[in-house]
Amino acid sequence: MSSEKIGEIKNRFINASFDEYQDLFDKYSDDDRKGVVKLIDTYKKHLISFEKEKRRMYDMFEYERKYSNCQYICGIDEVGRGPLAGPVCAGAVILPKDCDILYINDSKQLSAKKRDELYEEITKKAVAWKIFYIDHNVIDEINILNATYEAMRNAINGLQVKPDLLLNDAVNIPEVSIPQVPIIKGDAKSASIAAASIVAKVSRDRLMEEYDRKYPEYGFAKNKGYGTKEHMDAIKKYGPCEIHRLSFLNL
């Protein structure tokens, strides 16, 4: 049994990397104190979860491996097609070949806290990334589908490097010369598309929170422009504001 206090052993685990866990398990395997046994059990579960996440992320790079002959593979996704207010936002992200980011997933499957954390990591480590908004006025003028395509094209064109291939969430983007691969439910199958969905959603959510300060009666910080009951009640009471999509309100 180790002469170290349990608190000292706990700090060793807290400060250790996943690669160092096994050495700690071996070192304290003969320590039968309940606190140490519990610590080892807890961190073995952490290690199992970590290995499971690495396998999931390996699967998330299936399409990136399939087209590994391309130097720059760009994931494309959009958020904000359905809301009654605010812009539609497209994200374009080129991840590095040796990407080590874990927990990338369809942005809808992640908590707001995890999306924020991943946004910071993705935008820091990406080879290139870009978001582009198309506002409510243009949506009303050209319709939401065409506005979405326009946002995607502008996001692609705004990248610091030109992609060799686009991985898209289900769509073929018109008027784009770069080869495209549409993937059904791509934000749950491709790390690049999922990264784009995270960057786009965090960006748009933050913008809607800014609008909430200007138009607090509509609850944009909470509903992000979607047609919740509270939002619909506010429209009935106050009428639409400057960022509402009038074509969506049938006014």
Side-chain angles (χ1 to χ4, degrees), residues 53-181:
E53 176 59 19
K54 286 202 300 184
R55 291 193 294 273
R56 188 192 70 84
M57 284 306 305
Y58 180 83
D59 292 340
M60 286 288 284
F61 279 94
E62 174 188 356
Y63 287 93
E64 287 79 359
R65 287 193 301 276
K66 181 177 181 180
Y67 299 102
S68 60
N69 59 307
C70 297
Q71 183 177 6
Y72 296 123
I73 298 174
C74 179
I76 308 292
D77 203 6
E78 55 72 30
V79 296
R81 286 184 64 172
L84 308 179
V88 65
C89 178
V93 175
I94 300 175
L95 294 173
K97 293 279 189 180
D98 58 349
C99 182
D100 61 354
I101 306 174
L102 298 178
Y103 307 106
I104 294 176
N105 204 345
D106 171 7
S107 62
K108 297 183 293 295
Q109 302 300 315
L110 301 168
S111 68
K113 181 175 183 292
K114 178 55 72 173
R115 285 195 298 267
D116 284 340
E117 292 172 356
L118 285 167
Y119 174 92
E120 298 303 326
E121 190 170 8
I122 291 166
T123 55
K124 178 181 178 181
K125 294 182 176 179
V127 174
W129 69 277
K130 183 71 176 178
I131 58 109
F132 198 91
Y133 298 109
I134 296 294
D135 72 18
H136 57 287
N137 289 317
V138 178
I139 292 170
D140 284 340
E141 181 181 348
I142 67 174
N143 77 46
I144 186 60
L145 180 59
N146 287 324
T148 300
Y149 288 149
E150 184 68 10
M152 290 178 168
R153 284 191 291 267
N154 278 282
I156 295 163
N157 292 334
L159 289 166
Q160 298 94 322
V161 297
K162 184 178 179 179
D164 304 302
L165 181 74
L166 305 177
L167 300 180
N168 306 341
D169 189 16
V171 301
N172 273 299
I173 308 167
E175 302 172 36
V176 172
S177 61
I178 302 168
Q180 305 179 54
V181 178

Side-chain angles (χ1 to χ4, degrees), residues 206 208-216 220-221:
R206 290 176 179 177
M208 294 307 295
E209 288 163 8
E210 291 180 20
Y211 281 132
D212 183 72
R213 290 189 281 273
K214 187 174 181 180
Y215 309 105
F220 290 144

